[in-house]
Amino acid sequence: MNEHSVPGKGNENIQAEQFEPDLVAEPPHPINWNLLTSQDLEEELLELNRWVNWLRTEYGLPAAVIPPVWHRHPELLWELSALHLHWLCAYDANQDGSAPFGWHRDFAEARHRLRDWVTASGTRLDRDRPTRQTVWPGEERTVDIVEQAITDRDADFVQFVLEQVEARRAAEDAFYASIGARTDETPN
């Protein structure tokens, strides 16, 4: 008998992972991407990426609906995040039997919105550019619209996550440093 054997079941081996508890510690909830800590941001991006990869392959979605670098376009990130939350809730074990049907109905509508976002953003299967922003009178253009080839989607995603987490960590550090500076000040 080894560590994967179950007493009373003969020599059948069972993977230990089957007995590990569910790693989801809390019920699904909306994600405000602007308010996540650097650690939560990393975890949520990785989880959403896993789900989006499953979704696009499970449903055979083209790049016109979910392009490879969806993560670089906030409009796609927010839409896919909302769709993911809806899916999690619809397929929760405590949900009623018609919830998956409602998810599929809403998924059909979401695909139309995703196509609109992809068209507006200009991202494609093999190339990407920042989403064009309308410059209002008196504003200056802040982002150059430069198209880039997509040569390794997974490497781009990893780089994106690293950049986002580092930027969020720097903002957190600056915030905490400002609190420390204010508490160190002596009143006049």
Side-chain angles (χ1 to χ4, degrees), residues 31-48:
I31 297 169
N32 184 336
W33 292 94
N34 296 326
L35 300 179
L36 295 175
T37 65
S38 57
Q39 181 178 347
D40 289 343
L41 177 64
E42 181 177 13
E43 291 171 8
E44 295 293 350
L45 282 170
L46 294 174
E47 180 59 30
L48 183 58

Side-chain angles (χ1 to χ4, degrees), residues 52-70 76 80 83 107-108 110-119 121 123-126 150 153:
V52 169
N53 278 333
W54 171 83
L55 181 71
R56 74 178 181 84
T57 56
E58 189 73 11
Y59 287 89
L61 300 173
V65 175
I66 300 179
V69 292
W70 58 266
L76 295 172
L80 290 166
L83 191 59
F107 179 41
R111 287 195 311 271
H112 291 293
R113 286 193 306 274
L114 285 164
R115 283 182 191 277
D116 288 346
W117 292 128
V118 170
T119 299
S121 73
T123 188
R124 308 267 185 271
L125 179 62
D126 61 345
I150 301 170
R153 186 270 173 203

Side-chain angles (χ1 to χ4, degrees), residues 59-116:
Y59 287 89
L61 300 173
V65 175
I66 300 179
V69 292
W70 58 266
H71 53 275
R72 292 205 176 265
H73 296 273
E75 64 276 24
L76 295 172
L77 178 87
W78 288 91
E79 182 80 30
L80 290 166
S81 178
L83 191 59
H84 180 220
L85 173 64
H86 190 10
W87 181 85
L88 287 169
C89 292
Y91 284 92
D92 183 86
N94 295 321
Q95 190 57 266
D96 66 49
S98 64
F101 183 75
W103 182 84
H104 278 90
R105 180 193 61 238
D106 294 341
F107 179 41
E109 292 175 24
R111 287 195 311 271
H112 291 293
R113 286 193 306 274
L114 285 164
R115 283 182 191 277
D116 288 346

